[in-house]
Amino acid sequence: MTTKDENLELLELALGELSPEAEAELRLRVDASPELAAELDALKDALALARHLPVDEPSRGMDAAVMAAARRKAAEAKPARGDEEETTGFWPRVSRFLRDAVNGPQAAMATITLLVVAVGLWFVPTAHRDADDAPMRISDAVHPPEDAEPVLEPATPAVEKPETAVGAAAPVDLEDAEKRAPTRSRKESATPKAAAEAKRSVDVGASGAAPAKDRMLSTAPASSDTMVERRMDAEGAAAPRTATSSAARRDARALELAPSAGAAAPSGMVAESAEMAPPPAETTSRVGELERAFRAGDHTATITLARAILSQPRASETGSRAQVLDYLARAERARGNCAEAIRQYERLLETYPAYARRAGVEAELADCRARVTK
Amino acid sequence: MFGKLARKNLRPGRVPLTERPDEELLALFSSGEADAFGVLLERYRRPIFNFVARHSGDAPRAEDLTQEVFLRAIQRAEQFRGESKVSTWLYKIARNLCIDHRRRMRHRGHASLDAPTNGDGPSLGERLPSDARGAHESLVDEDLRARILAAVEALPDDQREVFLLRQIENMPFGEIADVVGASENTVKSRMRYALLRLREALSEYQDYASELR
């Protein structure tokens, strides 16, 4: 019978880790004991077979994201290293100034400033023009001025795409907008089509708003995607709860386009709770299909599949939307379409701040931005 | 502390980065030399990837997890005190990630992605691209590889991690003990059990193994 120490010595012998003296001494014992010899053979057999363990190679795509993060981190540490460098003499100072100007924060600040000015110049006239289409402010809707006329806006996008509606509900001053283009809104509201759309919108808003919110709060096993989107539904439609009388319908119509702070759950909390919720089997299989396409390097199929899943009506969507967005962004990145990849990565981080692979997403996003800048 | 050491003694340019030890590279990186981390990445990307692929039980996501290992290393580089080797430190990060990942998978009720996807077909792990797999592999080799993967996957977690660290990184038992937080003798014992289990699972290859010895 072998002892525990003997077993460990046999392992070391099989691995060739014993000292020559210990090995010679153990070999004498092994020769004298069939049991020890059998154990040694078994270990050697297993080690011989274990050498066939496959060795795989990761793709180079992984390295780019890691190195982008490494460069960012190293750039943070660089100023500290500068303390040790020579600071005396004219040329070292000039050299350091030039190097810092090119690589340091000055260049970045100058670029950002130029970008802000450029975007500002481009955006200001557009903002004025867009004010014509802006929805009414919440405060105006709840307490309308006595002389205010009913202003109805086309509501279809808000009903069909709550996410868009939330995004579009920037608080633009209605009075200001009316001063600029008062006739257009009134004219539109007078047409039968606009009136019909407005009525449809009010009906949906008034009847569907409160249940949408309640559903969101009571559906525990829903995924993050569903929950966030339901939150968006609730944001878009919760306000018309107040629209119970015909006099309030007009206000409700306008409020439909504006986000209601009361209905919104903290996005971090929503995403966190969703991380814990297991996605239903149907979604798992579709996401699995998407994942296989991505792993197989079929980025076109990945993008097509991802977009198909994302285009599903929200009511039937059951989860893993964050993962789908992730694969979509990565496939776009792999195809070299950095602009689209950036858009999807940003959308992912914004919608699902607690996404499990957040660090990886941020690194890949930084890599894409660096590539676009180049 | 480590950063100061690097600034005083480890100025880049004297010895090529690729010839420097891991600890110097990490110190250089902490002092702002991004390329030093590139060398570390090049050294460990493949073994860490393989360790993660086999230990996490989720080969298709091994690349994401490996990326996460290096991203965490980047974030924590300044906290590295040089009390252990860089390789040990990296494998500790990788091991913790794998344990978390396996736990999450169990919690969500996912089947192991190393399991065959449909009936007797190859697992996702086996379908990963690999330079190591030549085009002229014998059928025995292919079958054996698949069986070894399955046998390794079937090992208990504590035996599997020891086996992988030894087999992939050829890590000394003392360092493995540091990574897994157990005594050296315990680690050796786990290795022994792992080998005996593997041999039992692959008993039909006994003759072949004897030839290989």
Side-chain angles (χ1 to χ4, degrees), chain A residues 329-374:
Chain A
R330 292 164 77 184
E332 293 285 9
R333 175 172 169 255
R335 285 211 313 184
N337 189 358
C338 282
E340 181 59 19
I342 289 171
R343 206 173 74 81
Q344 299 301 344
Y345 279 131
E346 286 175 343
R347 188 176 162 199
L348 170 60
L349 290 176
E350 192 179 323
T351 317
Y352 306 100
Y355 184 47
R357 209 180 72 80
R358 186 182 174 95
V361 168
E362 284 173 340
E364 286 161 14
L365 175 59
D367 176 49
C368 283
R369 282 176 178 152
R371 282 201 229 172
V372 169
T373 310
K374 278 178 191 171

Side-chain angles (χ1 to χ4, degrees), chain B residues 132-199:
Chain B
R133 289 180 198 151
H136 306 291
E137 288 170 326
S138 69
L139 285 175
V140 173
D141 280 356
E142 275 186 32
D143 184 51
L144 177 58
R145 285 196 170 108
R147 295 289 304 276
I148 289 177
L149 277 177
V152 170
E153 171 65 19
L155 288 174
D157 290 354
D158 55 354
Q159 291 175 24
R160 187 175 52 247
E161 63 188 6
V162 170
F163 169 79
L164 290 171
L165 288 168
R166 178 73 198 189
Q167 204 59 33
I168 292 172
E169 184 64 17
N170 200 23
M171 199 178 265
F173 286 119
E175 279 179 39
I176 297 176
D178 190 9
V179 172
V180 304
S183 75
E184 197 171 328
N185 272 356
T186 304
V187 164
K188 283 179 186 170
S189 184
R190 286 176 189 171
M191 179 70 182
R192 176 178 165 269
Y193 281 120
L195 289 173
L196 294 178
R197 270 177 189 260
L198 283 179
R199 199 232 185 196

Side-chain angles (χ1 to χ4, degrees), chain A residues 8-312:
Chain A
L8 298 187
E9 278 183 328
L10 284 172
L11 174 68
E12 287 175 286
L13 179 62
L15 291 166
E17 290 191 351
L18 279 182
S19 65
E21 299 79 28
E23 186 178 332
E25 194 267 328
L26 184 59
R27 279 202 186 278
L28 285 174
R29 275 189 283 153
V30 169
D31 291 343
S33 162
E35 199 179 347
L36 288 180
E39 166 97 7
L40 181 62
D41 283 348
L43 292 173
K44 282 183 174 175
D45 282 355
L47 284 169
L49 292 172
R51 281 198 288 272
H52 285 255
L53 185 72
V55 179
D56 295 320
E57 186 75 22
S59 77
R60 286 284 165 191
M62 180 191 81
D63 300 0
V66 172
M67 284 313 294
R71 275 189 282 275
R72 267 206 318 276
K73 185 78 178 174
E76 290 170 16
K78 278 231 160 154
R81 202 187 67 177
D83 301 344
E84 295 290 320
E85 292 179 359
E86 284 185 65
T87 51
T88 54
F90 177 72
W91 289 113
R93 284 183 187 181
V94 171
S95 163
R96 201 179 67 237
F97 173 78
L98 288 175
R99 190 190 61 211
D100 289 350
V102 174
N103 296 327
Q106 295 95 326
M109 287 299 291
T111 310
I112 289 168
T113 310
L114 280 173
L115 273 172
V116 168
V117 170
V119 169
L121 286 172
W122 172 81
F123 183 72
V124 169
T126 315
H128 284 256
R129 201 169 54 245
D130 288 351
D132 298 349
D133 302 326
M136 185 186 286
R137 287 189 306 183
I138 298 174
S139 56
D140 290 346
V142 177
H143 307 291
E146 284 179 7
D147 59 338
E149 291 186 28
V151 179
L152 300 176
E153 297 290 336
T156 312
V159 174
E160 291 177 0
K161 294 183 179 176
E163 203 171 353
T164 316
V166 172
V172 177
D173 192 329
L174 182 67
E175 287 176 17
D176 195 30
E178 281 185 343
K179 276 177 198 165
R180 287 197 191 97
T183 52
R184 189 178 158 196
S185 299
R186 288 166 194 172
K187 198 187 286 176
E188 278 180 5
S189 68
T191 63
K193 189 181 173 189
E197 281 183 5
K199 185 177 185 308
R200 186 160 68 90
S201 167
V202 168
D203 290 342
V204 171
S207 61
K213 188 183 174 189
D214 294 341
R215 222 174 30 240
M216 178 194 78
L217 294 171
S218 62
T219 313
S223 71
S224 63
D225 324 300
T226 317
M227 292 186 76
V228 168
E229 281 146 21
R230 283 180 182 167
R231 178 169 63 80
M232 286 174 171
D233 289 342
E235 282 171 352
R241 274 169 182 269
T242 56
T244 48
S245 69
S246 59
R249 285 193 156 203
R250 172 174 57 87
D251 305 338
R253 164 71 196 83
L255 273 168
E256 194 171 32
L257 292 171
S260 161
S267 60
M269 184 193 78
V270 171
E272 281 288 356
S273 61
E275 283 287 327
M276 300 302 292
E282 187 193 343
T283 308
T284 308
S285 73
R286 296 191 71 191
V287 175
E289 193 184 341
L290 178 69
E291 180 172 339
R292 280 192 289 280
F294 180 76
R295 299 294 172 199
D298 190 349
H299 301 306
T300 310
T302 306
I303 291 166
T304 311
L305 262 170
R307 290 198 187 282
I309 296 171
L310 293 172
S311 68
Q312 288 298 304

